Amino acid sequence: METKKQHLIVKNIIDSDLAVSSDDGKKVYQAIVEALRRENIVELDFQGITIVITAFLNMAIGKLYQDFKGDFLNLHLKLVNVDDKDKALFKMVATYAKEYFANQEAFEQAVEEIL
């Protein structure tokens, strides 16, 4: 089976230049998941996005680590046109998501103990 590239433009999916709500993040997540399930290589394009916050990224990208292994995502998900000032935010979201979904029970137990 031939691997195809699928170019997803965030601004078009959320119909805004502000990537700030988890609801919009969910729209992007669903678009990515559809493409990844067909084993396409996804180019997620942030061209024209002026503000990105973690609530959006946790839903759009972080949640992917619940459904797919990190190695698969490294090969199949490419982020393009990410503003330099936002790159650390993307890295942080991916790192926390990997840790969380790898040890979900331990995380939830620790939260229970704190509360």
Side-chain angles (χ1 to χ4, degrees):
M1 189 167 103
E2 186 186 331
T3 304
K4 290 197 268 288
K5 269 192 182 171
Q6 190 161 348
H7 191 86
L8 299 176
I9 300 168
V10 173
K11 188 174 179 178
N12 294 351
I13 296 169
I14 64 174
D15 199 26
S16 173
D17 61 348
L18 305 175
V20 295
S21 81
S22 55
D23 285 345
D24 283 343
K26 190 180 270 185
K27 291 176 194 170
V28 173
Y29 164 80
Q30 288 166 335
I32 295 169
V33 167
E34 280 179 34
L36 290 178
R37 290 228 162 100
R38 292 191 296 271
E39 297 201 12
N40 290 339
I41 292 176
V42 176
E43 279 188 348
L44 190 61
D45 193 337
F46 283 82
Q47 181 73 45
I49 296 292
T50 54
I51 297 175
V52 178
I53 67 167
T54 52
F56 173 86
L57 290 177
N58 285 334
M59 186 55 74
I61 294 172
K63 190 168 167 32
L64 293 169
Y65 289 91
Q66 183 177 11
D67 303 314
F68 302 96
K69 299 231 176 291
D71 292 345
F72 179 86
L73 290 173
N74 288 341
L75 291 172
H76 289 85
L77 180 63
K78 307 296 177 209
L79 305 176
V80 294
N81 294 315
V82 173
D83 195 298
D84 283 343
K85 68 177 175 25
D86 294 327
K87 286 182 178 167
L89 200 58
F90 281 77
K91 191 168 178 57
M92 182 187 74
V93 165
T95 300
Y96 287 146
K98 281 184 219 173
E99 289 175 10
Y100 174 74
F101 290 116
N103 300 300
Q104 194 169 356
E105 272 183 43
F107 264 80
E108 289 170 2
Q109 191 174 350
V111 169
E112 277 299 310
E113 289 170 10
I114 293 167
L115 301 176

Coordinates of all heavy atoms in Angstrom, one line a residue, residues 77-107:
L77 N 3.4 12.1 11.4 CA 2.8 13.5 11.7 C 4.0 14.5 11.6 O 4.9 14.4 12.3 CB 2.2 13.5 13.1 CG 1.6 14.9 13.5 CD1 0.4 15.3 12.5 CD2 1.1 14.8 14.9
K78 N 3.8 15.4 10.6 CA 4.8 16.5 10.4 C 4.1 17.8 10.7 O 3.1 18.1 10.1 CB 5.3 16.5 9.0 CG 5.9 15.1 8.5 CD 7.1 14.7 9.3 CE 7.6 13.3 8.9 NZ 8.2 12.6 10.0
L79 N 4.7 18.6 11.5 CA 4.2 19.9 11.8 C 4.9 21.0 10.9 O 6.2 21.0 10.9 CB 4.4 20.3 13.3 CG 3.8 19.3 14.3 CD1 4.1 19.7 15.7 CD2 2.3 19.2 14.1
V80 N 4.2 21.8 10.2 CA 4.8 22.8 9.4 C 4.3 24.2 9.7 O 3.2 24.3 10.1 CB 4.7 22.4 7.8 CG1 5.4 21.2 7.5 CG2 3.2 22.3 7.5
N81 N 5.1 25.1 9.4 CA 4.8 26.6 9.6 C 4.4 26.9 11.1 O 3.5 27.6 11.3 CB 3.7 27.0 8.7 CG 4.2 27.0 7.2 OD1 5.2 27.5 6.9 ND2 3.3 26.5 6.4
V82 N 5.2 26.2 12.0 CA 5.0 26.5 13.4 C 5.9 27.7 13.8 O 7.1 27.6 13.4 CB 5.3 25.3 14.3 CG1 5.3 25.6 15.8 CG2 4.4 24.1 14.0
D83 N 5.4 28.7 14.4 CA 6.1 29.8 14.8 C 7.2 29.4 15.7 O 7.0 28.6 16.6 CB 5.2 30.9 15.4 CG 5.8 32.2 15.5 OD1 6.9 32.3 16.2 OD2 5.3 33.2 15.0
D84 N 8.4 29.9 15.6 CA 9.6 29.6 16.5 C 9.2 29.7 17.9 O 9.6 28.9 18.7 CB 10.8 30.4 16.1 CG 11.5 29.9 14.9 OD1 11.2 28.8 14.4 OD2 12.3 30.7 14.3
K85 N 8.5 30.8 18.3 CA 8.2 31.0 19.7 C 7.2 29.9 20.2 O 7.1 29.7 21.4 CB 7.6 32.4 19.9 CG 6.2 32.6 19.3 CD 5.7 34.0 19.6 CE 4.4 34.4 19.0 NZ 3.5 33.4 18.6
D86 N 6.5 29.2 19.4 CA 5.6 28.2 19.8 C 6.2 26.7 19.8 O 5.6 25.8 20.4 CB 4.3 28.1 18.9 CG 3.5 29.4 19.0 OD1 3.5 30.0 20.1 OD2 2.9 29.8 18.0
K87 N 7.4 26.6 19.3 CA 7.9 25.2 19.2 C 8.1 24.5 20.5 O 7.9 23.4 20.7 CB 9.2 25.2 18.4 CG 9.0 25.4 16.9 CD 10.3 25.4 16.1 CE 9.9 25.6 14.6 NZ 11.0 25.9 13.8
A88 N 8.5 25.3 21.5 CA 8.7 24.7 22.9 C 7.4 24.2 23.5 O 7.3 23.2 24.1 CB 9.4 25.8 23.8
L89 N 6.3 25.0 23.2 CA 5.0 24.6 23.6 C 4.6 23.2 23.0 O 4.1 22.4 23.7 CB 4.0 25.7 23.2 CG 2.7 25.8 23.9 CD1 2.8 26.0 25.4 CD2 1.9 27.0 23.3
F90 N 4.8 23.0 21.7 CA 4.5 21.8 21.1 C 5.3 20.6 21.7 O 4.8 19.6 21.9 CB 4.9 21.9 19.6 CG 3.8 22.6 18.8 CD1 3.8 24.0 18.8 CD2 2.9 21.9 18.0 CE1 2.8 24.7 18.0 CE2 2.0 22.6 17.2 CZ 1.9 24.0 17.2
K91 N 6.6 20.9 21.9 CA 7.5 19.9 22.5 C 7.0 19.5 23.9 O 6.9 18.3 24.3 CB 8.9 20.4 22.5 CG 9.9 19.3 22.9 CD 11.3 19.9 22.6 CE 12.4 18.9 22.9 NZ 12.3 17.6 22.3
M92 N 6.6 20.5 24.7 CA 6.1 20.2 26.1 C 4.8 19.4 26.0 O 4.7 18.4 26.8 CB 5.9 21.6 26.8 CG 5.4 21.4 28.2 SD 4.9 23.0 28.9 CE 3.4 23.3 28.1
V93 N 3.9 19.7 25.2 CA 2.6 19.0 25.1 C 2.9 17.5 24.7 O 2.3 16.6 25.3 CB 1.7 19.7 24.1 CG1 0.5 18.8 23.7 CG2 1.1 21.0 24.7
A94 N 3.8 17.3 23.7 CA 4.1 16.0 23.3 C 4.7 15.2 24.4 O 4.4 14.0 24.7 CB 5.0 16.0 22.0
T95 N 5.7 15.8 25.1 CA 6.4 15.1 26.2 C 5.4 14.7 27.3 O 5.5 13.6 27.8 CB 7.5 16.0 26.7 OG1 8.4 16.3 25.7 CG2 8.3 15.4 27.9
Y96 N 4.6 15.7 27.7 CA 3.6 15.4 28.8 C 2.6 14.3 28.4 O 2.3 13.4 29.2 CB 2.9 16.6 29.3 CG 3.8 17.5 30.1 CD1 3.6 18.9 30.0 CD2 4.7 17.1 31.0 CE1 4.4 19.8 30.8 CE2 5.5 17.9 31.7 CZ 5.4 19.3 31.6 OH 6.1 20.1 32.4
A97 N 2.2 14.4 27.1 CA 1.2 13.4 26.7 C 1.8 12.0 26.6 O 1.2 11.0 27.1 CB 0.7 13.8 25.3
K98 N 3.0 11.9 26.2 CA 3.7 10.6 26.1 C 3.8 10.0 27.5 O 3.5 8.8 27.8 CB 5.1 10.7 25.5 CG 5.2 10.8 24.0 CD 6.6 10.8 23.6 CE 6.8 11.8 22.4 NZ 8.1 12.0 22.0
E99 N 4.3 10.8 28.5 CA 4.4 10.4 29.9 C 3.1 10.0 30.4 O 2.9 9.0 31.1 CB 5.1 11.5 30.7 CG 6.5 11.7 30.4 CD 7.1 12.8 31.2 OE1 6.5 13.4 32.1 OE2 8.3 13.2 30.8
Y100 N 2.1 10.8 30.2 CA 0.7 10.6 30.8 C 0.1 9.3 30.3 O -0.3 8.4 31.0 CB -0.2 11.7 30.5 CG -1.6 11.5 30.9 CD1 -1.9 11.5 32.3 CD2 -2.6 11.1 30.1 CE1 -3.2 11.2 32.7 CE2 -3.9 10.8 30.5 CZ -4.2 10.9 31.8 OH -5.5 10.6 32.3
F101 N 0.1 9.1 28.9 CA -0.5 7.9 28.4 C 0.3 6.7 28.6 O -0.3 5.6 28.6 CB -0.9 8.1 26.9 CG -2.0 9.1 26.7 CD1 -1.8 10.3 26.1 CD2 -3.3 8.9 27.3 CE1 -2.9 11.3 26.0 CE2 -4.3 9.8 27.2 CZ -4.1 11.0 26.5
A102 N 1.6 6.8 28.8 CA 2.4 5.6 29.1 C 2.1 5.2 30.6 O 2.2 4.0 30.9 CB 3.9 5.9 29.0
N103 N 1.8 6.1 31.5 CA 1.6 5.8 32.9 C 0.3 6.3 33.4 O 0.2 6.9 34.5 CB 2.7 6.3 33.7 CG 4.1 5.8 33.3 OD1 4.3 4.6 33.4 ND2 4.9 6.6 32.9
Q104 N -0.8 6.2 32.6 CA -2.1 6.8 32.9 C -2.6 6.5 34.3 O -3.0 7.4 35.1 CB -3.1 6.5 31.9 CG -4.3 7.3 31.9 CD -5.2 7.1 30.7 OE1 -4.9 6.4 29.8 NE2 -6.4 7.8 30.7
E105 N -2.5 5.2 34.7 CA -3.0 4.8 36.0 C -2.2 5.4 37.1 O -2.7 5.9 38.1 CB -2.9 3.3 36.1 CG -4.1 2.6 35.6 CD -4.1 1.1 35.8 OE1 -3.6 0.6 36.9 OE2 -4.5 0.3 34.9
A106 N -0.8 5.5 37.0 CA 0.0 6.1 38.0 C -0.3 7.5 38.2 O -0.4 8.1 39.3 CB 1.5 5.8 37.7
F107 N -0.5 8.2 37.0 CA -0.8 9.7 37.1 C -2.1 9.9 37.8 O -2.2 10.7 38.7 CB -0.9 10.2 35.7 CG 0.3 10.9 35.2 CD1 1.4 10.2 34.7 CD2 0.4 12.3 35.2 CE1 2.5 10.8 34.2 CE2 1.5 12.9 34.7 CZ 2.6 12.2 34.2

